[in-house]
Amino acid sequence: MDGVLQTNKLSKSYGKNAFALRDLTINVKKGEVYGFLGANGAGKTTAIRTLMNFIQPTEGSATILGKDIVKDSVELKREIGYLSGEIALYPKMNGRQFLSYMSSLRPPKNKDYPGKLVKTFKAQLDKPIGNMSKGNRQKLGLIQALMHEPEILILDEPTSGLDPLMQEYFFDIVKERKSKGATFFISSHNLSEAQRMCDRVGFIRDGRLVAEQSIADLTEASSHSFEITFANSIPMSSLQSIDGASVEKLSDRKIKISIKGNLKPLFRLLANSHVIHFDKPAASLEEEFLQFYESTNRKGAK
Amino acid sequence: MLAVIKWGLWSRRWSTVWWCVGIISLIAINVLFYPSFRDQSAQLEQSFAQIPDAAKALFTDTGDFLSPVGYLSSQIYYLMLPLILSILTISMGSSLITKEEQDGTLELLLSRPISRTKLISAKAVVAFIIICLVTVVTMISTLIFASMVDIEVGLDKIALATLLSAILSTLFGIIAFCLSAFGGFGRSISVSIAALVAFGSYIISSLGEVVSWLSGVAKFLPFHYYQPAEVMYGTYNWSYAAAFVVIIMILFVISIIGFRRRDIKN
């Protein structure tokens, strides 16, 4: 047991058979970025709120940094940075007052670090929080979670409301903190985001962890799709004969091909053809995730 | 913990100022009218004689409106002051935890290394300081206005009557605090139950003086032991007030136990 965040059959139910979280067993290693993925209502937030001891587990147990999440909750919070999924701050405070209040409740280890985060995220400090956009409130939420440089970061939908540039900054900070040994437990329903920052992901559905996979394995297991435009006619029969390929004709000269497995035969064929355009559409993980859900749903139905 | 207290006081600074202004104004209006009331006591005595005892019992614990103690009791201490202070204490008691919980900011505080016991204690300290402040302002303003109109009641007795009123109101406030600390009740339910206890206790205790079958029930209610006129006459049994304080402390401990064990709503 070398994990810094471990749960053992952690469950939360509201009455008989009304499980919001059921038998969650995970083991997140030091320095790992663990993505906790699932659709809305799958149980991600319940798991996070249980880990934070906002709600009490009805069965099972969990430890963070070797300490019990219920008994040692107060002590643990010194080393945890937390961001709620539904960011709620104090609307009457301005950004500066808010960060000062949060700092007084848990002082930063390095006094310059909060200022650095404010600069990175270009956070507004003098505007009342009640007048801020969702994105600006989210920046303050992230800063308060990160500013004491915690060992563990438990973040519920951290990029929600951030523009793409700020998302990039956030991914950079994740990398930086990870390089210094911080461990992340991040919930998300955005798979491309998980692909960008996570080492490993767990899929949760109806309160149960249905699968865990490293991002590398997941990406490898996923099919690769390409859109190819030929100068002349499409070598359809040759394309269809490639192992694991499914070909869809988009126009007289354009096809979409999805291949699971070895890509060598495709490229060998293309080398002998006159290709004028070659494109790889994104979101393979999304497709994989949906396929995964659909297949487990079908298995469940049987 | 200090930061939570500081922010709690800061965020309520203007509402506290307005409470003080409102109370000072009401006390000024009521006390400064005393000389004209006293001058017309002969005519007013005939009018008050026609008021039924049950109606009189709702406004005073002395049965008279014309003596200095009767006047202060009927105009300030028996109904107005405990009513106003109870509105303040019940609204604070119900909102200190519940508002942060409904707004979602309670999670922010609990994500810091601060125990639930310390957090709820800090909230209680905020309420305690505000109640003390409003009580002191009430006390000082009553003393100033009473000395301006030469009302023949000892200033120390007036101060003690104000204190008793604050203690009773705190008792109703802690009921709302306790209910909200246990959760499961929304803010409005906590307010409603505490207000029902306060108002029901007042009605039953007042009418218990003239309706014999209510007098037995009244003995189990706090308002029965709230006797500001007795305080001003110097004959009040202060063990009743001590019992109020003990109940307040017990309810506070119960609030802590309830808050420590319950799930925070989101």
Side-chain angles (χ1 to χ4, degrees):
Chain A
M1 299 289 267
D2 55 349
V4 290
L5 191 159
Q6 294 178 318
T7 66
N8 181 23
K9 294 191 170 180
L10 194 69
S11 303
K12 177 68 184 175
S13 67
Y14 297 94
K16 207 177 176 186
N17 296 326
F19 281 90
L21 186 68
R22 195 161 196 169
D23 297 334
L24 178 72
T25 301
I26 51 171
N27 184 354
V28 183
K29 295 182 184 75
K30 185 172 169 58
E32 190 175 23
V33 181
Y34 188 93
F36 199 49
L37 306 177
N40 290 331
K44 304 187 297 289
T45 299
T46 302
I48 283 181
R49 297 185 80 237
T50 310
L51 288 173
M52 291 300 294
N53 196 35
F54 300 150
I55 53 177
Q56 311 255 324
T58 42
E59 281 169 57
S61 62
T63 59
I64 296 176
L65 297 167
K67 289 171 184 155
D68 187 86
I69 56 159
V70 177
K71 281 187 223 152
D72 306 316
S73 168
V74 177
E75 201 184 326
L76 266 178
K77 306 277 171 68
R78 288 182 209 287
E79 283 308 334
I80 296 179
Y82 168 72
L83 177 74
S84 160
E86 293 290 326
I87 185 79
L89 312 175
Y90 294 91
K92 286 181 186 171
M93 288 184 182
N94 64 29
R96 197 179 309 280
Q97 287 169 326
F98 172 70
L99 293 179
S100 160
Y101 184 38
M102 291 294 108
S103 296
S104 61
L105 295 171
R106 185 176 49 202
K109 291 167 193 162
N110 172 359
K111 281 184 183 170
D112 298 332
Y113 194 63
K116 191 181 157 194
L117 290 171
V118 167
K119 223 178 241 178
T120 304
F121 282 116
K122 299 182 176 64
Q124 294 176 326
L125 294 185
D126 297 317
K127 198 174 175 181
I129 290 172
N131 296 342
M132 284 184 186
S133 66
K134 164 89 169 82
N136 281 317
R137 280 185 280 129
Q138 189 74 3
K139 289 177 194 175
L140 287 177
L142 283 169
I143 294 168
Q144 64 80 28
L146 290 157
M147 67 185 180
H148 60 294
E149 298 170 86
E151 283 187 46
I152 304 272
L153 283 125
I154 299 178
L155 310 175
D156 196 356
E157 310 274 357
T159 56
S160 164
L162 293 183
D163 60 44
L165 184 64
M166 289 301 145
Q167 286 186 16
E168 288 302 322
Y169 289 151
F170 173 70
F171 297 148
D172 289 345
I173 287 172
V174 171
K175 268 184 213 159
E176 182 230 333
R177 298 309 319 156
K178 180 178 154 65
S179 70
K180 291 184 177 165
T183 307
F184 285 78
F185 186 83
I186 298 176
S187 93
S188 177
H189 59 260
N190 185 335
L191 291 154
S192 51
E193 174 184 286
Q195 199 172 19
R196 287 290 309 275
M197 61 183 166
C198 296
D199 300 313
R200 196 155 57 104
V201 289
F203 294 103
I204 185 170
R205 188 171 52 120
D206 298 332
R208 286 180 186 273
L209 187 74
V210 290
E212 257 185 331
Q213 229 167 346
S214 75
I215 285 289
D217 289 349
L218 196 65
T219 307
E220 197 179 306
S222 65
S223 58
H224 300 275
S225 295
F226 306 100
E227 286 180 5
I228 306 163
T229 308
F230 294 91
N232 306 310
S233 60
I234 300 168
M236 195 57 113
S237 56
S238 306
L239 288 166
Q240 282 170 335
S241 66
I242 296 173
D243 247 6
S246 79
V247 186
E248 186 190 344
K249 194 172 174 184
L250 300 177
S251 69
D252 284 349
R253 292 181 183 179
K254 188 175 179 184
I255 55 118
K256 181 179 178 183
I257 183 165
S258 298
I259 301 181
K260 202 166 188 174
N262 193 0
L263 298 175
K264 206 171 171 181
L266 172 69
F267 290 115
R268 193 179 293 142
L269 174 68
L270 295 180
N272 296 320
S273 309
H274 189 181
V275 174
I276 56 172
H277 191 257
F278 184 90
D279 190 26
K280 186 180 188 317
S284 60
L285 200 56
E286 250 102 352
E287 287 165 13
E288 181 65 22
F289 180 57
L290 287 173
Q291 282 167 13
F292 186 87
Y293 255 60
E294 280 163 10
S295 66
T296 50
N297 270 333
R298 277 197 296 273
K299 278 177 198 165
K302 283 176 193 172
Chain B
M1 187 168 164
L2 197 63
V4 177
I5 296 171
K6 271 192 203 166
W7 167 245
L9 291 172
W10 178 254
S11 63
R12 286 172 184 268
R13 67 197 185 284
W14 289 115
S15 64
T16 306
V17 167
W18 285 115
W19 272 102
C20 291
V21 169
I23 287 177
I24 291 169
S25 310
L26 280 169
I27 288 170
I29 290 166
N30 283 290
V31 178
L32 295 177
F33 264 105
Y34 177 67
S36 54
F37 202 83
R38 183 176 49 196
D39 296 343
Q40 297 170 47
S41 59
Q43 295 104 300
L44 290 169
E45 199 165 357
Q46 288 175 341
S47 310
F48 287 141
Q50 290 167 12
I51 298 174
D53 287 347
K56 275 186 197 168
L58 289 172
F59 297 101
T60 176
D61 55 339
T62 60
D64 86 277
F65 295 90
L66 300 170
S67 68
V69 167
Y71 181 82
L72 281 179
S73 173
S74 63
Q75 295 300 304
I76 298 174
Y77 289 110
Y78 191 66
L79 179 59
M80 188 202 83
L81 191 58
L83 176 73
I84 291 173
L85 290 179
S86 295
I87 292 171
L88 171 69
T89 57
I90 290 172
S91 69
M92 268 200 302
S94 64
S95 66
L96 282 166
I97 294 289
T98 318
K99 189 174 183 302
E100 291 236 32
E101 188 167 12
Q102 285 174 346
D103 291 350
T105 49
L106 194 58
E107 285 193 1
L108 266 179
L109 300 179
L110 291 174
S111 71
R112 263 65 201 166
I114 176 167
S115 70
R116 290 193 187 195
T117 303
K118 276 191 180 170
L119 182 61
I120 195 171
S121 302
K123 295 287 182 184
V125 169
V126 170
F128 182 72
I129 291 172
I130 291 173
I131 293 166
C132 285
L133 195 73
V134 173
T135 304
V136 168
V137 168
T138 307
M139 215 177 258
I140 292 170
S141 56
T142 314
L143 295 178
I144 291 170
F145 295 127
S147 52
M148 282 166 71
V149 296
D150 280 338
I151 201 160
E152 289 150 4
V153 180
L155 295 182
D156 57 332
K157 301 289 191 300
I158 289 176
L160 287 173
T162 311
L163 178 68
L164 182 64
S165 190
I167 293 172
L168 178 80
S169 307
T170 305
L171 176 63
F172 296 134
I174 195 88
I175 291 172
F177 187 72
C178 193
L179 289 168
S180 66
F182 263 86
F185 306 99
R187 194 173 164 192
S188 53
I189 302 280
S190 306
V191 170
S192 306
I193 293 174
L196 188 70
V197 172
F199 193 68
S201 169
Y202 154 70
I203 294 281
I204 293 170
S205 300
S206 301
L207 296 181
E209 298 294 318
V210 286
V211 182
S212 58
W213 64 271
L214 281 177
S215 60
V217 181
K219 283 178 184 160
F220 295 98
L221 300 170
F223 213 89
H224 180 73
Y225 302 96
Y226 175 67
Q227 298 153 356
E230 296 291 328
V231 174
M232 287 185 278
Y233 285 130
T235 55
Y236 183 64
N237 181 353
W238 280 95
S239 60
Y240 296 155
F244 287 165
V245 173
V246 170
I247 295 169
I248 289 168
M249 289 165 78
I250 291 170
L251 287 176
F252 178 60
V253 172
I254 292 172
S255 305
I256 292 175
I257 294 167
F259 187 60
R260 278 169 59 121
R261 291 183 179 174
R262 78 163 166 98
D263 287 352
I264 303 299
K265 291 182 193 134
N266 70 338

